[in-house]
Amino acid sequence: DCRQYTNRSCEECLKNVTCLWCASSRRCMEYPVRRILPPADLCELRSARWGVCWVNFEALIIAMSVVGGTLVIMLGVCCCCCCCKKKSKKQVLGGPDKDDERAAREREKRRVRQEERRAEMKSRHDEIRRKYGTV
């Protein structure tokens, strides 16, 4: 039972991992496992100690928020860098510009084929005209 360590030291109380030390009231109590953080009526966050005596819950929450925020920002920056790198690599290796060039080549091939067909049709028509003397 954690209550037997009340009015003793934080170190003695926290030897048992199920115990929570409240520095302001010098009480040792069972950690409220159904809740993530101990309620304020049980012990204030700045006075609550669990696991180690030198870190209170308030500092732990602030530190975890800073670390979590930093990780989220770093992840976002990495994603942005990867996306930008992909875009620039795609442009260098022939992304949209290469597609434009390919489309232009296709248009030119179609135009050349069309001109060849026109010339062929014109020569056929000229032959027919000569044959029947309509020239």
Side-chain angles (χ1 to χ4, degrees), residues 44-131:
E44 293 179 355
L45 287 180
R46 66 175 156 257
S47 298
R49 308 286 194 269
W50 180 72
V52 290
C53 293
W54 54 272
V55 177
N56 64 31
F57 271 92
E58 198 172 53
L60 185 65
I61 291 169
I62 292 169
M64 295 300 281
S65 299
V66 168
V67 168
T70 303
L71 289 175
V72 167
I73 290 171
M74 286 174 56
L75 182 66
V77 168
C78 287
C79 288
C80 288
C81 287
C82 288
C83 289
C84 291
K85 190 174 181 181
K86 256 186 190 174
K87 284 181 184 177
S88 66
K89 195 174 189 181
K90 191 174 185 181
Q91 286 176 350
V92 167
L93 295 177
D97 293 338
K98 191 172 183 180
D99 292 340
D100 292 344
E101 289 174 13
R102 187 180 300 130
R105 281 194 303 264
E106 290 295 320
R107 280 194 303 273
E108 184 63 24
K109 284 181 185 177
R110 277 188 250 124
R111 189 188 64 75
V112 168
R113 274 188 261 137
Q114 184 74 23
E115 291 295 324
E116 288 172 354
R117 278 192 231 118
R118 276 193 193 131
E120 189 178 320
M121 290 299 285
K122 187 177 184 311
S123 80
R124 280 188 196 163
H125 288 142
D126 288 345
E127 280 181 39
I128 292 171
R129 285 187 190 109
R130 257 187 257 119
K131 183 177 178 180

Side-chain angles (χ1 to χ4, degrees), residues 11-28:
E11 288 78 16
E12 287 181 55
C13 173
L14 296 184
K15 284 180 183 174
N16 185 348
V17 293
T18 62
C19 295
L20 170 75
W21 176 257
C22 186
S24 60
S25 64
R26 298 188 51 81
R27 289 188 319 163
C28 189

